[in-house]
Amino acid sequence: MVVYTMSQERQEEFLGALEHWQQTEESRFFWRQRHDSDGNSVITTTSTTTTDTSTATITTTTTSSSSMSESAFEELKKFFTVNLKCPDEDSRYMIEGIDLSYSFNCFQQHVLDVLPTGKLAFETHIHHILSMSSIMLIFKGDNASSEAYNLIPEAKKTIYAGISSSAQFSRQLLIQALDIIQGVAIDGSINRKVGSHRLLELSFTESSDLGQRILLYLHRAVQTLTKDNSLNPINDEADLCGRFILPLLQTLSDELDSTENVFFKLNNSKNHECGVAPMLNLSERRPDGVIKWLSQSGQKTIGFMETKTISISHQTSKINIDLIRLGLMGKNAIDVYNLKSILLIQAVGMNLTFYLFQKKTVDVYMMVELDNLAFPQSLVDLPSLTGNMDRVVRLLDIFKRECFIVQPTQNEIRPTVRLPLMNRVVMSSTSRKCKNCSPHSYC
């Protein structure tokens, strides 16, 4: 095509630009992905042009190029050797007779082994990047985590059995609440103010604190949500957080009448639990929201939230960067406050994914997905939430049971990988050709 359709001047310009691109990180990443999908060891692209003096031939291979400098790899190797050792047998994390500490350490060593062949990508390597900070990520309904850590189904069931909840929302109140919501949102037989007042009255008849919180959220939603999504589109993160997520999480988590207050707030200050911040979006050390616990021993952060609007849900790297940031902030908070658990919330639009973050042993910090729920953006969405009342109650029950326990100070703490080192092993560019390793598609 080059020979027959381009002038000589245009050909030279094209080939020069192509040769320059072949030397970039983007080019190497492209050919690695092409190699993985085609199963070829060498990919060759040849462009030939006939000129008065020469024939230009450009060949690219993916087997010999390395994206990491030797000094960067030696620094990483030293970090792994010093900080990511498998502990003594009596200190390991064991489940169902499986030595998860050993399996996890093998995975970490695998990360070190593959890095000389190319950098990690946010789209594809969430588990790899988090493992550098001793974080084991477990997705609920996906086999990627199990395969990565050699986690048998029985062991995964045991992990979830240890944090599960059997709490239920009252069936009688569910029917009454659904009748009110349908009257307001669907057929218009109930005035918005009347419906809101009835839901408030209904909350007084509920003896369970968790059930009351859900009814109070429904009361607030009927008051504030627009009739349908077109009347109040979510334009940016500030709009998403301020109008939709703040009322939701405040109602579900706040406890302001006890001696130890708990409250959710949007955050505009740097998170002091995390380290210094050079490049990459990971360095913006400001969680979009936090859950604070004013305990008798001082203020503690027991929850973090990261948000993105649904309009950028197709940008996998940005979604996964938020998930990695949540993991790093959760680990640092547990290390600083000696907490048993932290609640992590990733919001993409009104799709919220909840994770429980715990330190199991000195070498394993476990980030376990609890659930993924879509919360209403308008009144027409509200009836669908009533089908998930039990799931919301169980999330609240796990949060209340697990996230208010302070453990004895531990002598040994595994370090969180510092961003200067991470910048050297993770690609700064992104590619939509990468396969997303997260099971959640928010598009």
Side-chain angles (χ1 to χ4, degrees), residues 348-387:
V348 182
M350 289 303 291
N351 299 288
L352 273 62
T353 307
F354 299 83
Y355 298 86
L356 190 69
F357 194 100
Q358 297 180 315
K359 183 176 183 178
K360 294 296 186 179
T361 53
V362 67
D363 60 313
V364 178
Y365 293 76
M366 188 162 285
M367 182 175 173
V368 181
E369 180 189 346
L370 297 176
D371 211 341
N372 172 262
L373 291 170
F375 287 88
Q377 183 181 334
S378 65
L379 284 180
V380 296
D381 300 331
L382 198 54
S384 62
L385 181 62
T386 58

Side-chain angles (χ1 to χ4, degrees), residues 221-234:
V222 167
Q223 283 184 320
T224 59
L225 293 179
T226 56
K227 185 67 177 177
D228 58 62
N229 297 339
S230 63
L231 297 176
N232 189 24
I234 300 176

Side-chain angles (χ1 to χ4, degrees), residues 272-387:
H272 73 277
E273 292 112 12
C274 294
V276 296
M279 308 164 42
L280 294 179
N281 293 336
L282 277 167
S283 67
E284 298 172 4
R285 311 315 303 174
R286 299 169 185 243
D288 293 322
V290 292
I291 302 176
K292 292 291 186 178
W293 174 29
L294 304 182
S295 69
Q296 294 180 354
S297 58
Q299 178 174 291
K300 298 175 176 62
T301 306
I302 60 173
F304 293 98
M305 180 193 71
E306 286 293 328
T307 62
K308 285 288 182 289
T309 60
I310 200 69
S311 61
I312 64 168
S313 59
H314 62 284
Q315 299 184 35
T316 306
S317 62
K318 292 186 177 181
I319 303 300
N320 290 353
I321 285 173
D322 273 1
L323 185 57
I324 293 169
R325 292 187 64 231
L326 283 172
L328 299 182
M329 289 186 287
K331 177 186 179 300
N332 286 322
I334 277 188
D335 289 341
V336 169
Y337 301 124
N338 298 308
L339 294 168
K340 178 186 177 184
S341 307
I342 294 276
L343 183 68
L344 306 176
I345 306 169
Q346 182 174 30
V348 182
M350 289 303 291
N351 299 288
L352 273 62
T353 307
F354 299 83
Y355 298 86
L356 190 69
F357 194 100
Q358 297 180 315
K359 183 176 183 178
K360 294 296 186 179
T361 53
V362 67
D363 60 313
V364 178
Y365 293 76
M366 188 162 285
M367 182 175 173
V368 181
E369 180 189 346
L370 297 176
D371 211 341
N372 172 262
L373 291 170
F375 287 88
Q377 183 181 334
S378 65
L379 284 180
V380 296
D381 300 331
L382 198 54
S384 62
L385 181 62
T386 58

Side-chain angles (χ1 to χ4, degrees), residues 23-25 28-29 32 61-73 112-119 424 427:
Q23 306 304 316
T24 65
E25 175 64 33
R28 289 190 288 269
F29 179 73
R32 281 200 304 273
T61 67
T62 59
T63 54
S64 60
S65 64
S66 175
S67 300
M68 286 188 65
S69 67
E70 184 176 346
S71 61
F73 180 70
L112 182 64
D113 292 340
V114 300
L115 275 171
T117 64
K119 290 187 176 183
R424 302 176 76 176
M427 292 182 58

Side-chain angles (χ1 to χ4, degrees), residues 165-184:
S165 169
S166 59
Q168 290 186 325
F169 189 79
S170 166
R171 292 297 179 265
Q172 182 179 356
L173 292 179
L174 175 62
I175 293 172
Q176 292 176 269
L178 181 58
D179 287 341
I180 296 171
I181 291 170
Q182 286 184 329
V184 174

